[in-house]
Amino acid sequence: MQSILKRYFGFSAFRPLQQNIIGKVLEGRDVLVLMPTGGGKSLCYQVPALMLEGTTIVVSPLISLMKDQVEGLLSNGIPAAALNSMNDEAENVKVRSACLRGELKLLYISPERLMAEIPYLIKDMKVALFAVDEAHCISQWGHDFRPEYAQLGLLRENFPHVPIIALTATADRLTREDILRQLRMREPEVFVSSFDRPNLSLEVRRGYRQRDKDSAILALIARHPNDSGIIYCMSKKTTERVAGMLGEHGIVAVAYHAGLPADERERAQNDFIHDRVQVVCATVAFGMGIDKSNVRFVIHYNLPKSIEAFYQEIGRAGRDGLPSETVLFYSLGDLVQLSRFAQESGQQEINMEKLRRMQEYAESDVCRRRILLNYFGETVDHDCGNCDVCRNPPQRFDGTVLSQKALSAIVRADEQVSARTLTDILRGSFTSEVLKGRYDTLKTFGAGRDVPARDWQDYLMQMLQNGLFEVAYDEGNHLKLTDRGRQVLFQGKGVSFAVVRHEEKTRRRGRSDAVRPVAAELSPSRPEAVPSAVSSRRQELFEALRALRKRLADAQGFPPYIVMSDKVLQNLCEACPTTVEAFGMVGGIGEFKKAKYGEDFVEVIRRYVEA
Ligand code: ADP
Ligand code: ZN
């Protein structure tokens, strides 16, 4: 097991659970694996595939995922292929005869194709193992149900002696039970790993207006000069505006949403995968079937509608295990809009509840990772050290007077104003809304002039969270006092506010995070510890290796991360191997890559070492 891992994948140790899982598969047991994205599921069937006699058949729901996996295997010198509707006939004929000659260790196939091939091709092959990837697609409970998966129950009957391994990153109990039942697994061994993704940093920025968001995003990208990232936006229009804004600042960005023609979407996706586009500004339509491992940041320009959606989207960052940043912008406007969508949806109660949980996450002043993992049913006994709350615990102050000013203005305006107009009143701005309602004549007009508008947005959000007023979504989003609000306004009940954080205070870190010393990798200590001369030299090497990777990838038509992950580039920066032998010892370099790429990489590293 160990030598296969080293020889083909270049890794010297298994991750937790991998070894046990592989052991059970080799014993011929049926196995269900629940691991988060990037957890290392593929090795759980790829290593057995290399050890067992015959071919492992991998069922996969998306052609793009199959393509990615097959390219990854081929790039490690492992014979693999895919049978699907995208291949041309000649290609399929070739794959089929390779199967019959027993030349492939792994065959990727779509579920419907598999079913069609059972009486023909599969019957004449030596099947070592069935791996059902994205196994949650079999369950109607899940969010990705695919009717084609339902037929996979027939596998057990048709191949009583071939073990089945099912893998998924969707954890809930009902889906889990459904998978076991539908695949008719025999005395299955179920392995559940933690869903934590400790390499993803978590951060929420509250109450930013468009301009603030844009400059925060530009600052973040400046810290990730050549790194890939995704910006999720609520509307198509926003994706286009943000992509345009980035373009004006010299950042190669594209918009992606369901309203674009299919070929344009495909081009955007390909350009991103092949590192020709740095940033994709997308609606939730983007991301399914993208296995790109070197996504270094995911930004939510708007609040997502549920924690499931949020976790899945940030999960697209850092599949290679390297530190990656996630930032969520949270504003009252988004909350109001999403509440309206939820209210108007068919499933009002469920959707409002999901949104409330998302809101709790965004407004939390305890460790955010705890909240996420808690949501997925994991209890955590420590703070993570890698979220904004842990790094920078919120300071609090007495917000009673500020609350009273706002509440008083709401009352004086007859509870007929939205949060935006209220802010204008407090700030003393003569906007058209203000003039129309003659709010400039109120006693509270300008009473909060000393507080910036953005901070007011934040305080109002905190007041909403504290239940001091409600938003009448069905009545122009006007604010209405609650009993608690009246207690604060008329009886002087105290209110505590969290201090609003400003960009300048929390930011000002080192430059790119791409290259960090290993010790700092997952620990909360940030790269400032590295003397900057060393880190910028190292960054130079990293960039030189990144350029080489791109050249080698383009020459073969592979995405760069298939040639080598960012993690491997980083290992190379640390080890600085100057011989092909030493190159082969680096983590992530198997024998095949050593022979194929050794000379090229060693040459670049030598030049750097000697310079
Ligand atoms: P998943 O399918 O669970 O999303 P992958 O199988 O794609 O995850 O693995 C995620 C990343 O982790 C890949 O870059 C893979 O090479 C790496 N990886 C997996 N197992 C190991 C290991 N034992 N040691 C080092 N890296 C590993
Ligand atoms: Zn934390």
PDB file of all heavy atoms in Angstrom, residues 5 9-16 18 35-46 69 133-134 167 169 291 293 319-321 565 567 588, ligand 1:
ATOM      1  N   LEU A   5       1.572   4.128  -2.907  1.00  0.00           N
ATOM      2  CA  LEU A   5       1.286   5.541  -2.624  1.00  0.00           C
ATOM      3  C   LEU A   5       2.469   6.407  -3.039  1.00  0.00           C
ATOM      4  O   LEU A   5       2.323   7.460  -3.645  1.00  0.00           O
ATOM      5  CB  LEU A   5       0.987   5.711  -1.134  1.00  0.00           C
ATOM      6  CG  LEU A   5       0.613   7.116  -0.679  1.00  0.00           C
ATOM      7  CD1 LEU A   5      -0.761   7.506  -1.218  1.00  0.00           C
ATOM      8  CD2 LEU A   5       0.615   7.223   0.844  1.00  0.00           C
ATOM      9  N   PHE A   9       1.846   8.242  -6.532  1.00  0.00           N
ATOM     10  CA  PHE A   9       1.326   9.559  -6.167  1.00  0.00           C
ATOM     11  C   PHE A   9       2.387  10.438  -5.501  1.00  0.00           C
ATOM     12  O   PHE A   9       2.173  11.630  -5.305  1.00  0.00           O
ATOM     13  CB  PHE A   9       0.106   9.409  -5.246  1.00  0.00           C
ATOM     14  CG  PHE A   9      -1.006   8.624  -5.878  1.00  0.00           C
ATOM     15  CD1 PHE A   9      -1.143   7.259  -5.631  1.00  0.00           C
ATOM     16  CD2 PHE A   9      -1.894   9.238  -6.754  1.00  0.00           C
ATOM     17  CE1 PHE A   9      -2.157   6.527  -6.232  1.00  0.00           C
ATOM     18  CE2 PHE A   9      -2.912   8.499  -7.363  1.00  0.00           C
ATOM     19  CZ  PHE A   9      -3.040   7.139  -7.101  1.00  0.00           C
ATOM     20  N   GLY A  10       3.486   9.811  -5.124  1.00  0.00           N
ATOM     21  CA  GLY A  10       4.574  10.585  -4.541  1.00  0.00           C
ATOM     22  C   GLY A  10       4.335  10.990  -3.096  1.00  0.00           C
ATOM     23  O   GLY A  10       5.044  11.834  -2.566  1.00  0.00           O
ATOM     24  N   PHE A  11       3.319  10.420  -2.438  1.00  0.00           N
ATOM     25  CA  PHE A  11       3.047  10.776  -1.037  1.00  0.00           C
ATOM     26  C   PHE A  11       3.684   9.754  -0.109  1.00  0.00           C
ATOM     27  O   PHE A  11       3.715   8.572  -0.411  1.00  0.00           O
ATOM     28  CB  PHE A  11       1.537  10.816  -0.756  1.00  0.00           C
ATOM     29  CG  PHE A  11       0.790  11.771  -1.625  1.00  0.00           C
ATOM     30  CD1 PHE A  11      -0.445  11.424  -2.170  1.00  0.00           C
ATOM     31  CD2 PHE A  11       1.299  13.039  -1.909  1.00  0.00           C
ATOM     32  CE1 PHE A  11      -1.148  12.304  -2.981  1.00  0.00           C
ATOM     33  CE2 PHE A  11       0.600  13.929  -2.710  1.00  0.00           C
ATOM     34  CZ  PHE A  11      -0.619  13.553  -3.258  1.00  0.00           C
ATOM     35  N   SER A  12       4.153  10.244   1.043  1.00  0.00           N
ATOM     36  CA  SER A  12       4.814   9.283   1.928  1.00  0.00           C
ATOM     37  C   SER A  12       3.916   8.781   3.052  1.00  0.00           C
ATOM     38  O   SER A  12       4.257   7.824   3.729  1.00  0.00           O
ATOM     39  CB  SER A  12       6.103   9.880   2.491  1.00  0.00           C
ATOM     40  OG  SER A  12       5.879  11.218   2.822  1.00  0.00           O
ATOM     41  N   ALA A  13       2.775   9.402   3.258  1.00  0.00           N
ATOM     42  CA  ALA A  13       1.889   8.896   4.319  1.00  0.00           C
ATOM     43  C   ALA A  13       0.432   9.029   3.884  1.00  0.00           C
ATOM     44  O   ALA A  13       0.066   9.931   3.125  1.00  0.00           O
ATOM     45  CB  ALA A  13       2.111   9.689   5.604  1.00  0.00           C
ATOM     46  N   PHE A  14      -0.391   8.127   4.403  1.00  0.00           N
ATOM     47  CA  PHE A  14      -1.825   8.235   4.159  1.00  0.00           C
ATOM     48  C   PHE A  14      -2.417   9.283   5.087  1.00  0.00           C
ATOM     49  O   PHE A  14      -1.878   9.558   6.163  1.00  0.00           O
ATOM     50  CB  PHE A  14      -2.512   6.893   4.388  1.00  0.00           C
ATOM     51  CG  PHE A  14      -2.299   5.937   3.260  1.00  0.00           C
ATOM     52  CD1 PHE A  14      -1.378   4.905   3.364  1.00  0.00           C
ATOM     53  CD2 PHE A  14      -3.020   6.078   2.081  1.00  0.00           C
ATOM     54  CE1 PHE A  14      -1.173   4.025   2.308  1.00  0.00           C
ATOM     55  CE2 PHE A  14      -2.818   5.206   1.025  1.00  0.00           C
ATOM     56  CZ  PHE A  14      -1.890   4.177   1.130  1.00  0.00           C
ATOM     57  N   ARG A  15      -3.528   9.829   4.694  1.00  0.00           N
ATOM     58  CA  ARG A  15      -4.269  10.700   5.590  1.00  0.00           C
ATOM     59  C   ARG A  15      -5.107   9.827   6.509  1.00  0.00           C
ATOM     60  O   ARG A  15      -5.370   8.670   6.194  1.00  0.00           O
ATOM     61  CB  ARG A  15      -5.187  11.621   4.777  1.00  0.00           C
ATOM     62  CG  ARG A  15      -4.399  12.594   3.948  1.00  0.00           C
ATOM     63  CD  ARG A  15      -5.203  13.857   3.754  1.00  0.00           C
ATOM     64  NE  ARG A  15      -4.452  14.810   2.958  1.00  0.00           N
ATOM     65  CZ  ARG A  15      -4.950  15.458   1.914  1.00  0.00           C
ATOM     66  NH1 ARG A  15      -6.210  15.274   1.559  1.00  0.00           N
ATOM     67  NH2 ARG A  15      -4.203  16.312   1.259  1.00  0.00           N
ATOM     68  N   PRO A  16      -5.587  10.422   7.607  1.00  0.00           N
ATOM     69  CA  PRO A  16      -6.420   9.647   8.517  1.00  0.00           C
ATOM     70  C   PRO A  16      -7.557   8.971   7.748  1.00  0.00           C
ATOM     71  O   PRO A  16      -8.112   9.570   6.829  1.00  0.00           O
ATOM     72  CB  PRO A  16      -6.991  10.710   9.469  1.00  0.00           C
ATOM     73  CG  PRO A  16      -6.058  11.856   9.383  1.00  0.00           C
ATOM     74  CD  PRO A  16      -5.402  11.802   8.053  1.00  0.00           C
ATOM     75  N   GLN A  18      -7.711   6.969   5.360  1.00  0.00           N
ATOM     76  CA  GLN A  18      -7.455   6.408   4.020  1.00  0.00           C
ATOM     77  C   GLN A  18      -6.986   4.953   4.102  1.00  0.00           C
ATOM     78  O   GLN A  18      -7.480   4.085   3.384  1.00  0.00           O
ATOM     79  CB  GLN A  18      -6.406   7.237   3.271  1.00  0.00           C
ATOM     80  CG  GLN A  18      -6.968   8.511   2.657  1.00  0.00           C
ATOM     81  CD  GLN A  18      -5.899   9.342   1.954  1.00  0.00           C
ATOM     82  OE1 GLN A  18      -4.711   9.264   2.286  1.00  0.00           O
ATOM     83  NE2 GLN A  18      -6.316  10.149   0.998  1.00  0.00           N
ATOM     84  N   MET A  35     -16.425  12.166   3.322  1.00  0.00           N
ATOM     85  CA  MET A  35     -15.270  13.041   3.563  1.00  0.00           C
ATOM     86  C   MET A  35     -15.543  14.363   2.876  1.00  0.00           C
ATOM     87  O   MET A  35     -16.159  14.389   1.819  1.00  0.00           O
ATOM     88  CB  MET A  35     -14.030  12.446   2.885  1.00  0.00           C
ATOM     89  CG  MET A  35     -13.091  11.693   3.764  1.00  0.00           C
ATOM     90  SD  MET A  35     -11.618  11.309   2.802  1.00  0.00           S
ATOM     91  CE  MET A  35     -11.072   9.874   3.704  1.00  0.00           C
ATOM     92  N   PRO A  36     -15.044  15.442   3.458  1.00  0.00           N
ATOM     93  CA  PRO A  36     -15.288  16.724   2.802  1.00  0.00           C
ATOM     94  C   PRO A  36     -14.500  16.822   1.494  1.00  0.00           C
ATOM     95  O   PRO A  36     -13.572  16.042   1.270  1.00  0.00           O
ATOM     96  CB  PRO A  36     -14.772  17.739   3.809  1.00  0.00           C
ATOM     97  CG  PRO A  36     -13.721  17.016   4.563  1.00  0.00           C
ATOM     98  CD  PRO A  36     -14.204  15.588   4.650  1.00  0.00           C
ATOM     99  N   THR A  37     -14.881  17.776   0.687  1.00  0.00           N
ATOM    100  CA  THR A  37     -14.139  18.081  -0.528  1.00  0.00           C
ATOM    101  C   THR A  37     -12.670  18.293  -0.184  1.00  0.00           C
ATOM    102  O   THR A  37     -12.370  18.977   0.796  1.00  0.00           O
ATOM    103  CB  THR A  37     -14.694  19.379  -1.126  1.00  0.00           C
ATOM    104  OG1 THR A  37     -16.093  19.213  -1.233  1.00  0.00           O
ATOM    105  CG2 THR A  37     -14.100  19.680  -2.468  1.00  0.00           C
ATOM    106  N   GLY A  38     -11.806  17.705  -0.975  1.00  0.00           N
ATOM    107  CA  GLY A  38     -10.379  17.876  -0.715  1.00  0.00           C
ATOM    108  C   GLY A  38      -9.863  16.947   0.371  1.00  0.00           C
ATOM    109  O   GLY A  38      -8.693  16.977   0.736  1.00  0.00           O
ATOM    110  N   GLY A  39     -10.733  16.093   0.896  1.00  0.00           N
ATOM    111  CA  GLY A  39     -10.337  15.201   1.990  1.00  0.00           C
ATOM    112  C   GLY A  39      -9.440  14.061   1.537  1.00  0.00           C
ATOM    113  O   GLY A  39      -8.746  13.447   2.340  1.00  0.00           O
ATOM    114  N   GLY A  40      -9.476  13.768   0.232  1.00  0.00           N
ATOM    115  CA  GLY A  40      -8.644  12.682  -0.275  1.00  0.00           C
ATOM    116  C   GLY A  40      -9.434  11.419  -0.543  1.00  0.00           C
ATOM    117  O   GLY A  40      -8.952  10.312  -0.307  1.00  0.00           O
ATOM    118  N   LYS A  41     -10.627  11.579  -1.085  1.00  0.00           N
ATOM    119  CA  LYS A  41     -11.465  10.412  -1.347  1.00  0.00           C
ATOM    120  C   LYS A  41     -10.917   9.572  -2.498  1.00  0.00           C
ATOM    121  O   LYS A  41     -10.975   8.351  -2.443  1.00  0.00           O
ATOM    122  CB  LYS A  41     -12.895  10.860  -1.691  1.00  0.00           C
ATOM    123  CG  LYS A  41     -13.659  11.376  -0.483  1.00  0.00           C
ATOM    124  CD  LYS A  41     -15.118  11.663  -0.811  1.00  0.00           C
ATOM    125  CE  LYS A  41     -15.323  12.935  -1.606  1.00  0.00           C
ATOM    126  NZ  LYS A  41     -14.865  14.147  -0.935  1.00  0.00           N
ATOM    127  N   SER A  42     -10.409  10.243  -3.531  1.00  0.00           N
ATOM    128  CA  SER A  42     -10.046   9.483  -4.732  1.00  0.00           C
ATOM    129  C   SER A  42      -9.045   8.372  -4.450  1.00  0.00           C
ATOM    130  O   SER A  42      -9.158   7.273  -4.988  1.00  0.00           O
ATOM    131  CB  SER A  42      -9.479  10.403  -5.816  1.00  0.00           C
ATOM    132  OG  SER A  42     -10.002  11.685  -5.711  1.00  0.00           O
ATOM    133  N   LEU A  43      -8.062   8.662  -3.592  1.00  0.00           N
ATOM    134  CA  LEU A  43      -7.053   7.639  -3.314  1.00  0.00           C
ATOM    135  C   LEU A  43      -7.672   6.378  -2.727  1.00  0.00           C
ATOM    136  O   LEU A  43      -7.120   5.297  -2.870  1.00  0.00           O
ATOM    137  CB  LEU A  43      -6.019   8.177  -2.313  1.00  0.00           C
ATOM    138  CG  LEU A  43      -4.923   9.082  -2.854  1.00  0.00           C
ATOM    139  CD1 LEU A  43      -3.859   9.281  -1.783  1.00  0.00           C
ATOM    140  CD2 LEU A  43      -4.289   8.463  -4.084  1.00  0.00           C
ATOM    141  N   CYS A  44      -8.814   6.527  -2.065  1.00  0.00           N
ATOM    142  CA  CYS A  44      -9.445   5.388  -1.397  1.00  0.00           C
ATOM    143  C   CYS A  44      -9.856   4.298  -2.380  1.00  0.00           C
ATOM    144  O   CYS A  44      -9.971   3.144  -2.015  1.00  0.00           O
ATOM    145  CB  CYS A  44     -10.658   5.836  -0.586  1.00  0.00           C
ATOM    146  SG  CYS A  44     -10.229   6.978   0.723  1.00  0.00           S
ATOM    147  N   TYR A  45     -10.102   4.647  -3.622  1.00  0.00           N
ATOM    148  CA  TYR A  45     -10.343   3.593  -4.612  1.00  0.00           C
ATOM    149  C   TYR A  45      -9.223   3.490  -5.641  1.00  0.00           C
ATOM    150  O   TYR A  45      -9.040   2.464  -6.269  1.00  0.00           O
ATOM    151  CB  TYR A  45     -11.710   3.769  -5.299  1.00  0.00           C
ATOM    152  CG  TYR A  45     -11.885   5.052  -6.074  1.00  0.00           C
ATOM    153  CD1 TYR A  45     -11.426   5.173  -7.378  1.00  0.00           C
ATOM    154  CD2 TYR A  45     -12.514   6.153  -5.497  1.00  0.00           C
ATOM    155  CE1 TYR A  45     -11.591   6.358  -8.085  1.00  0.00           C
ATOM    156  CE2 TYR A  45     -12.685   7.335  -6.206  1.00  0.00           C
ATOM    157  CZ  TYR A  45     -12.215   7.434  -7.484  1.00  0.00           C
ATOM    158  OH  TYR A  45     -12.365   8.606  -8.187  1.00  0.00           O
ATOM    159  N   GLN A  46      -8.432   4.557  -5.784  1.00  0.00           N
ATOM    160  CA  GLN A  46      -7.363   4.474  -6.780  1.00  0.00           C
ATOM    161  C   GLN A  46      -6.225   3.561  -6.318  1.00  0.00           C
ATOM    162  O   GLN A  46      -5.652   2.826  -7.123  1.00  0.00           O
ATOM    163  CB  GLN A  46      -6.845   5.880  -7.103  1.00  0.00           C
ATOM    164  CG  GLN A  46      -7.883   6.671  -7.905  1.00  0.00           C
ATOM    165  CD  GLN A  46      -7.517   8.130  -8.090  1.00  0.00           C
ATOM    166  OE1 GLN A  46      -6.576   8.632  -7.485  1.00  0.00           O
ATOM    167  NE2 GLN A  46      -8.278   8.823  -8.928  1.00  0.00           N
ATOM    168  N   GLN A  69     -10.339  13.637 -13.536  1.00  0.00           N
ATOM    169  CA  GLN A  69      -9.774  12.479 -12.839  1.00  0.00           C
ATOM    170  C   GLN A  69      -8.868  11.673 -13.774  1.00  0.00           C
ATOM    171  O   GLN A  69      -7.782  11.251 -13.383  1.00  0.00           O
ATOM    172  CB  GLN A  69     -10.900  11.574 -12.330  1.00  0.00           C
ATOM    173  CG  GLN A  69     -11.691  12.190 -11.196  1.00  0.00           C
ATOM    174  CD  GLN A  69     -11.069  11.883  -9.838  1.00  0.00           C
ATOM    175  OE1 GLN A  69     -10.310  10.936  -9.697  1.00  0.00           O
ATOM    176  NE2 GLN A  69     -11.360  12.701  -8.853  1.00  0.00           N
ATOM    177  N   ASP A 133     -18.810   7.434  -7.204  1.00  0.00           N
ATOM    178  CA  ASP A 133     -18.384   8.751  -6.744  1.00  0.00           C
ATOM    179  C   ASP A 133     -19.614   9.662  -6.662  1.00  0.00           C
ATOM    180  O   ASP A 133     -20.601   9.434  -7.357  1.00  0.00           O
ATOM    181  CB  ASP A 133     -17.370   9.329  -7.739  1.00  0.00           C
ATOM    182  CG  ASP A 133     -16.436  10.324  -7.077  1.00  0.00           C
ATOM    183  OD1 ASP A 133     -16.550  10.529  -5.849  1.00  0.00           O
ATOM    184  OD2 ASP A 133     -15.589  10.897  -7.785  1.00  0.00           O
ATOM    185  N   GLU A 134     -19.548  10.682  -5.839  1.00  0.00           N
ATOM    186  CA  GLU A 134     -20.692  11.587  -5.642  1.00  0.00           C
ATOM    187  C   GLU A 134     -21.955  10.770  -5.366  1.00  0.00           C
ATOM    188  O   GLU A 134     -23.016  10.994  -5.950  1.00  0.00           O
ATOM    189  CB  GLU A 134     -20.916  12.478  -6.881  1.00  0.00           C
ATOM    190  CG  GLU A 134     -19.671  13.163  -7.428  1.00  0.00           C
ATOM    191  CD  GLU A 134     -19.164  14.306  -6.558  1.00  0.00           C
ATOM    192  OE1 GLU A 134     -19.887  14.735  -5.634  1.00  0.00           O
ATOM    193  OE2 GLU A 134     -18.022  14.751  -6.773  1.00  0.00           O
ATOM    194  N   LEU A 167     -18.672   7.018  -2.370  1.00  0.00           N
ATOM    195  CA  LEU A 167     -17.993   8.174  -1.769  1.00  0.00           C
ATOM    196  C   LEU A 167     -18.810   9.440  -1.966  1.00  0.00           C
ATOM    197  O   LEU A 167     -19.388   9.652  -3.034  1.00  0.00           O
ATOM    198  CB  LEU A 167     -16.613   8.372  -2.416  1.00  0.00           C
ATOM    199  CG  LEU A 167     -15.743   7.123  -2.492  1.00  0.00           C
ATOM    200  CD1 LEU A 167     -15.802   6.526  -3.896  1.00  0.00           C
ATOM    201  CD2 LEU A 167     -14.322   7.420  -2.116  1.00  0.00           C
ATOM    202  N   ALA A 169     -19.328  13.806  -0.333  1.00  0.00           N
ATOM    203  CA  ALA A 169     -19.016  14.862   0.628  1.00  0.00           C
ATOM    204  C   ALA A 169     -20.291  15.404   1.263  1.00  0.00           C
ATOM    205  O   ALA A 169     -20.262  16.388   1.974  1.00  0.00           O
ATOM    206  CB  ALA A 169     -18.256  15.995  -0.059  1.00  0.00           C
ATOM    207  N   ASP A 291     -13.035  20.711 -10.381  1.00  0.00           N
ATOM    208  CA  ASP A 291     -12.172  20.087  -9.383  1.00  0.00           C
ATOM    209  C   ASP A 291     -10.846  20.823  -9.265  1.00  0.00           C
ATOM    210  O   ASP A 291      -9.905  20.302  -8.688  1.00  0.00           O
ATOM    211  CB  ASP A 291     -11.909  18.623  -9.775  1.00  0.00           C
ATOM    212  CG  ASP A 291     -12.634  17.676  -8.831  1.00  0.00           C
ATOM    213  OD1 ASP A 291     -13.182  18.167  -7.828  1.00  0.00           O
ATOM    214  OD2 ASP A 291     -12.636  16.460  -9.094  1.00  0.00           O
ATOM    215  N   SER A 293      -7.782  22.470  -8.190  1.00  0.00           N
ATOM    216  CA  SER A 293      -7.295  22.391  -6.806  1.00  0.00           C
ATOM    217  C   SER A 293      -6.642  23.676  -6.333  1.00  0.00           C
ATOM    218  O   SER A 293      -6.434  23.861  -5.148  1.00  0.00           O
ATOM    219  CB  SER A 293      -6.306  21.232  -6.667  1.00  0.00           C
ATOM    220  OG  SER A 293      -5.077  21.551  -7.294  1.00  0.00           O
ATOM    221  N   ARG A 319      -8.623  23.012  -2.336  1.00  0.00           N
ATOM    222  CA  ARG A 319      -8.718  21.549  -2.363  1.00  0.00           C
ATOM    223  C   ARG A 319      -7.368  20.894  -2.178  1.00  0.00           C
ATOM    224  O   ARG A 319      -7.276  19.733  -1.813  1.00  0.00           O
ATOM    225  CB  ARG A 319      -9.281  21.077  -3.707  1.00  0.00           C
ATOM    226  CG  ARG A 319     -10.752  21.267  -3.829  1.00  0.00           C
ATOM    227  CD  ARG A 319     -11.193  20.845  -5.222  1.00  0.00           C
ATOM    228  NE  ARG A 319     -12.485  21.414  -5.508  1.00  0.00           N
ATOM    229  CZ  ARG A 319     -13.609  20.702  -5.563  1.00  0.00           C
ATOM    230  NH1 ARG A 319     -13.580  19.419  -5.367  1.00  0.00           N
ATOM    231  NH2 ARG A 319     -14.745  21.290  -5.821  1.00  0.00           N
ATOM    232  N   ASP A 320      -6.304  21.598  -2.491  1.00  0.00           N
ATOM    233  CA  ASP A 320      -4.965  21.030  -2.336  1.00  0.00           C
ATOM    234  C   ASP A 320      -4.491  21.099  -0.891  1.00  0.00           C
ATOM    235  O   ASP A 320      -3.384  20.677  -0.575  1.00  0.00           O
ATOM    236  CB  ASP A 320      -3.967  21.751  -3.255  1.00  0.00           C
ATOM    237  CG  ASP A 320      -4.035  23.265  -3.087  1.00  0.00           C
ATOM    238  OD1 ASP A 320      -4.606  23.739  -2.075  1.00  0.00           O
ATOM    239  OD2 ASP A 320      -3.512  23.978  -3.965  1.00  0.00           O
ATOM    240  N   GLY A 321      -5.317  21.634  -0.009  1.00  0.00           N
ATOM    241  CA  GLY A 321      -4.954  21.662   1.409  1.00  0.00           C
ATOM    242  C   GLY A 321      -4.144  22.882   1.818  1.00  0.00           C
ATOM    243  O   GLY A 321      -3.861  23.069   3.002  1.00  0.00           O
ATOM    244  N   SER A 565       0.172  20.270  -8.318  1.00  0.00           N
ATOM    245  CA  SER A 565      -0.675  21.147  -7.507  1.00  0.00           C
ATOM    246  C   SER A 565       0.172  22.277  -6.920  1.00  0.00           C
ATOM    247  O   SER A 565       1.406  22.200  -6.901  1.00  0.00           O
ATOM    248  CB  SER A 565      -1.327  20.350  -6.381  1.00  0.00           C
ATOM    249  OG  SER A 565      -0.345  19.960  -5.445  1.00  0.00           O
ATOM    250  N   LYS A 567       0.444  22.829  -3.938  1.00  0.00           N
ATOM    251  CA  LYS A 567       1.096  22.218  -2.781  1.00  0.00           C
ATOM    252  C   LYS A 567       2.462  21.645  -3.187  1.00  0.00           C
ATOM    253  O   LYS A 567       3.450  21.812  -2.489  1.00  0.00           O
ATOM    254  CB  LYS A 567       0.177  21.119  -2.229  1.00  0.00           C
ATOM    255  CG  LYS A 567       0.769  20.256  -1.155  1.00  0.00           C
ATOM    256  CD  LYS A 567       0.818  20.986   0.163  1.00  0.00           C
ATOM    257  CE  LYS A 567       1.539  20.166   1.201  1.00  0.00           C
ATOM    258  NZ  LYS A 567       2.141  20.952   2.242  1.00  0.00           N
ATOM    259  N   GLY A 588       4.516  14.416  -3.433  1.00  0.00           N
ATOM    260  CA  GLY A 588       3.622  14.672  -4.553  1.00  0.00           C
ATOM    261  C   GLY A 588       4.248  14.339  -5.899  1.00  0.00           C
ATOM    262  O   GLY A 588       3.590  14.440  -6.930  1.00  0.00           O
TER     263      GLY A 588
HETATM  264  P1  ADP B   1     -11.735  14.688  -2.688  1.00  0.00           P
HETATM  265  O1  ADP B   1     -12.039  13.758  -3.833  1.00  0.00           O
HETATM  266  O2  ADP B   1     -12.063  14.091  -1.365  1.00  0.00           O
HETATM  267  O3  ADP B   1     -12.293  16.061  -2.873  1.00  0.00           O
HETATM  268  P2  ADP B   1      -9.051  14.385  -3.610  1.00  0.00           P
HETATM  269  O4  ADP B   1      -9.041  12.927  -3.682  1.00  0.00           O
HETATM  270  O5  ADP B   1      -9.156  15.163  -4.878  1.00  0.00           O
HETATM  271  O6  ADP B   1     -10.175  14.888  -2.616  1.00  0.00           O
HETATM  272  O7  ADP B   1      -7.764  14.846  -2.796  1.00  0.00           O
HETATM  273  C1  ADP B   1      -7.554  16.191  -2.477  1.00  0.00           C
HETATM  274  C2  ADP B   1      -6.082  16.528  -2.537  1.00  0.00           C
HETATM  275  O8  ADP B   1      -5.380  15.884  -1.488  1.00  0.00           O
HETATM  276  C3  ADP B   1      -5.428  16.086  -3.819  1.00  0.00           C
HETATM  277  O9  ADP B   1      -4.576  17.141  -4.252  1.00  0.00           O
HETATM  278  C4  ADP B   1      -4.652  14.852  -3.421  1.00  0.00           C
HETATM  279  O10 ADP B   1      -3.525  14.680  -4.228  1.00  0.00           O
HETATM  280  C5  ADP B   1      -4.255  15.183  -1.994  1.00  0.00           C
HETATM  281  N1  ADP B   1      -4.041  13.981  -1.179  1.00  0.00           N
HETATM  282  C6  ADP B   1      -4.880  12.950  -1.019  1.00  0.00           C
HETATM  283  N2  ADP B   1      -4.355  12.023  -0.203  1.00  0.00           N
HETATM  284  C7  ADP B   1      -3.148  12.487   0.174  1.00  0.00           C
HETATM  285  C8  ADP B   1      -2.097  11.981   1.023  1.00  0.00           C
HETATM  286  N3  ADP B   1      -2.192  10.814   1.648  1.00  0.00           N
HETATM  287  N4  ADP B   1      -0.986  12.746   1.175  1.00  0.00           N
HETATM  288  C9  ADP B   1      -0.878  13.928   0.542  1.00  0.00           C
HETATM  289  N5  ADP B   1      -1.824  14.451  -0.264  1.00  0.00           N
HETATM  290  C10 ADP B   1      -2.949  13.751  -0.449  1.00  0.00           C
END
